Structures are given as structure tokens and as C-alpha cells.
Amino acid sequence: MAVLVYADNSGGSVPNSALEAVYYASKVAAEKGTETIAVVIGALDNAILESLGNYGADKVLHYSDDKLSDFDSQSYTRVVSDAINSTGANVIIFSHNYASKSIGPRLSAKLQAGMAVAVMGLPKIDGDSLTIRRTVYAGKAFADVTISSAIKIIAVTPNAFSPEVTDKKAAVEPASVDLTDSDFGMKITDTNKVTDKVSLTEATVVISGGRGLKDASNWDMLEEMADMLGAATACSKPVADMGWRPHSEHVGQTGITVRPNLYFAIGISGAIQHLAGVNGSKIIVAINTDSEAPIFKAADYGIIGDAFEVVPRLNTAIKNLNG
Ligand SMILES: Cc1cc2nc3c(=O)[nH]c(=O)nc-3n(C[C@H](O)[C@H](O)[C@H](O)COP(=O)(O)OP(=O)(O)OC[C@H]3O[C@@H](n4cnc5c(N)ncnc54)[C@H](O)[C@@H]3O)c2cc1C
């Protein structure tokens, strides 16, 4: 009974979060004494498909039908369930992201499969059951959940595992499924992509600003810092609500959850709803004029100071370091 992993295809590349999911799947497969099979949908270079072996995949099923070039949860569910049928896999791994949130529940209903999301640890296998640790209450607590259905679905939190990379190559097998119009739930008529920006959920460094920055025009210094560090920019909810930054950058309980290695909170008070989306960050650096701001309780490093003085000085220091 193989372990199947859905590896996201992000416009011709496989994002880090998907590589982590492949690695996680290979660990589960090793524990079960079985093989790891990755499912990839849409056009992708053969070398990239083979390189999933570096992260532990033994085999890659590649569904490259032109009809599947745009993400569509209904048809993609059909493909993944076809892969489950053809491989007999009984553990299905996703990265905990948009794809898992839309494909996972459909699969779960279709296959009567138990599903655990926001998973933080490898499962303990006990006969036909898996017990897994996941986060609950917006990351403030953990719960251990046991899945005992015949097919089990796990969505792994991004940046929770550091893959060990080998030089193994995966065997790539072209795969197809007969799709009709009724397999497609929607038709994408137009797409607008922010192509030159680092993806917020994938970023290892995030530079985030709050209401303390006073105005939309003051983000230049944060963008300069982000460019130098290869970081993504983010913001608190009121900043997005006021239209200073796009809603796609809003992090927190009602926004995006990020888990970068380094999170800069600049002019952000550290409200509980904000922290819910960022408290999985490995290191938090806070810059705030108010020494009593709650963000300092969550921060690993704090600078009590005016962002308009501190950030330009940091930028100069980074420039000097970069030569
Ligand atoms: C149901 C609900 C859901 C919510 N969801 C979210 C969410 O997902 N994400 C989110 O962010 N919020 C969310 N909020 C809002 C949240 O409660 C806070 O109001 C919000 O996070 C505050 O944003 P802020 O830190 O940018 O602003 P403020 O709280 O106004 O903080 C600004 C900070 O900037 C500091 N400052 C001022 N001037 C400077 C300066 N020159 N240099 C440095 N620091 C300076 C101040 O000392 C202050 O600490 C939610 C609220 C509710 C009720």
C-alpha cells in the first residue's frame, strides 16, 4: 500500500512546501515499508520531475493533459483519486495550502477517508491507525488526532520539516485520465499574477508593516529591505483594510498564516489576532516605539525605536554587508 503525495506545480516549478510534503511522505512510506509515489499535474520539465527523487519520491505519476493546465479542484480531485485507484495507495499527503483545502475535503468525502490538516509531526503508526500532531486554535495549541479509516489524508504545515536531500532520481511515468466537461467545476477566463514578488507563504524571510508606518507611501523602505533579503512583504489587517497594502499581504487569524525563518514586525502592536498568523515563525524581530507593545512578548529580538530611523539604518547595514 503505497504512500501518495500531491506535489504542487506552481507555474512550471515545484515550491518548497511541496518538496517538504514529498519528504514527509517518504518518511511515512519508510515507516510503513512501502514506496513513495508523487502525483504532479500540468506541464513540468522532466528534470524537475526526476528531482522529486532527491526528496524521497520513488516514482512520479505525471498527468500533463492540456485540459489540466489551470488548477480546478473538481478535475484535480478526479486525477488524484485515479492515482489512488491505480496505485492502491492508502495514505495521501498534501502540503497544507490552497490545493489541499480544496482537493482534500472532496477526496475525503468521495473515499470516506479521514483527514488531518495543519500537521506538525510524523505519524505514530499503530496497526491500521495513524496518530498525528496538528495545530489547533489558530496555532495556539496542539491536538493529537488518530485516523482509523482505510484511506488517510494528511496535510502538512509548510516550513515544519527540513528535508534531507539526496541525489536519488525518481522514475517518471506519464499518466492520463479520461476527462469530460462534467469533470470541470469552473472555467478560468482571466488570470492576474504578481510575478516579480516572492510568494508570502513560501518566503523564508517576511518583512511586515503595521499601522505604525502611518501611510502607504512609507512602504518603500520595507520593500527595499525585502528586495535586499529576498523576502516577501506582509502587513497587519488594518493596513490592508485601509488600502495601504493589498489584502493578499494581510497576515493573521483572518488572513494568511506564515511560518518563515525570520519575521520582521515593524510598527505592529502584536494583537492576538495578528500573532495567530505569525507565531509559527522561527525568529520574530519587532521594531516598535512602545516598549509595552505586546509584540515584544512574542519577539525573539526587539528594537524599541522609531521605524523611520531604525529601518533606514538597517537597510544601510544590509547594503554594507552585501558589499
Ligand atoms: C475578529 C478579528 C480578526 C482580526 N484578524 C486580524 C488579522 O488577521 N490580522 C491582523 O493583523 N489583525 C487582525 N485583527 C485586528 C487586530 O485586533 C489589531 O487591531 C491589529 O492587528 C492591529 O494592527 P497594527 O498592529 O498594525 O496597528 P496598531 O494596533 O495600531 O499598532 C501600531 C503599532 O505601531 C507602533 N508605532 C507607532 N508609530 C511607530 C513608529 N514610528 N515606529 C515603530 N512603531 C510605531 C505603535 O506603538 C503600535 O504598537 C482582527 C481583529 C478582530 C476583532
Side-chain angles (χ1 to χ4, degrees):
M1 292 284 198
V3 173
L4 197 79
V5 52
Y6 173 85
D8 305 82
N9 175 355
S10 177
S13 66
V14 178
N16 283 338
S17 52
L19 299 175
E20 289 162 16
V22 172
Y23 175 72
Y24 181 96
S26 74
K27 289 287 174 198
V28 179
E31 187 72 19
K32 285 166 58 70
T34 185
E35 62 176 346
T36 307
I37 302 174
V39 176
V40 180
I41 304 176
L44 206 64
D45 282 352
N46 209 53
I48 296 178
L49 296 168
E50 283 179 348
S51 72
L52 296 184
N54 300 172
Y55 297 85
D58 298 299
K59 189 158 89 179
V60 176
L61 294 179
H62 184 207
Y63 293 82
S64 59
D65 190 328
D66 283 348
K67 285 185 190 157
L68 295 166
S69 55
D70 289 318
F71 182 86
D72 169 68
S73 60
Q74 197 170 315
S75 55
Y76 276 39
T77 302
R78 175 83 208 286
V79 170
V80 178
S81 85
D82 175 79
I84 294 168
N85 287 338
S86 66
T87 58
N90 63 353
V91 179
I92 323 301
I93 311 288
F94 288 89
S95 176
H96 182 48
N97 61 15
Y98 175 75
S100 70
K101 286 176 193 167
S102 48
I103 301 174
R106 284 176 184 272
L107 275 181
S108 171
K110 194 176 162 111
L111 305 172
Q112 299 293 296
M115 179 170 176
V117 302
V119 166
M120 296 292 295
L122 284 164
K124 289 194 187 91
I125 301 175
D126 180 13
D128 281 342
S129 299
L130 297 184
T131 300
I132 318 168
R133 178 154 290 194
R134 57 155 298 182
T135 54
V136 289
Y137 299 123
K140 286 194 276 300
F142 293 112
D144 290 337
V145 293
T146 299
I147 313 179
S148 48
S149 52
I151 296 181
K152 301 160 182 74
I153 303 172
I154 298 172
V156 182
T157 300
N159 212 10
F161 296 89
S162 302
E164 289 155 26
V165 182
T166 67
D167 54 9
K168 180 174 123 179
K169 282 188 177 167
V172 179
E173 249 180 46
S176 63
V177 53
D178 279 337
L179 294 163
T180 63
D181 285 350
S182 65
D183 289 312
F184 292 85
M186 62 176 181
K187 188 172 174 209
I188 294 177
T189 51
D190 190 21
T191 314
N192 288 309
K193 279 189 182 162
V194 185
T195 48
D196 58 340
K197 295 251 180 181
V198 178
S199 150
L200 185 51
T201 48
E202 290 290 320
T204 52
V205 182
V206 173
I207 314 293
S208 190
R211 204 147 45 178
L213 289 173
K214 319 275 191 263
D215 190 76
S217 60
N218 293 326
W219 248 263
D220 287 358
M221 60 184 184
L222 270 62
E223 285 188 330
E224 186 187 357
M225 191 193 240
D227 283 348
M228 288 191 290
L229 296 177
T233 47
C235 67
S236 64
K237 181 175 183 294
V239 163
D241 288 346
M242 288 184 293
W244 293 358
R245 299 298 292 176
H247 269 291
S248 56
E249 291 193 1
H250 152 200
V251 291
Q253 184 183 318
T254 47
I256 291 173
T257 299
V258 293
R259 298 177 54 81
N261 293 336
L262 182 57
Y263 182 80
F264 275 90
I266 304 173
I268 291 175
S269 57
I272 193 162
Q273 296 90 353
H274 184 82
L275 294 177
V278 308
N279 59 10
S281 306
K282 299 226 162 67
I283 293 178
I284 297 178
V285 178
I287 302 171
N288 199 304
T289 43
D290 177 6
S291 62
E292 300 292 318
I295 190 70
F296 286 122
K297 290 209 174 80
D300 299 279
Y301 298 93
I303 301 173
I304 301 164
D306 185 336
F308 299 102
E309 287 171 21
V310 176
V311 175
R313 283 171 67 182
L314 276 176
N315 284 351
T316 305
I318 296 166
K319 248 181 243 155
N320 290 342
L321 269 177
N322 288 349

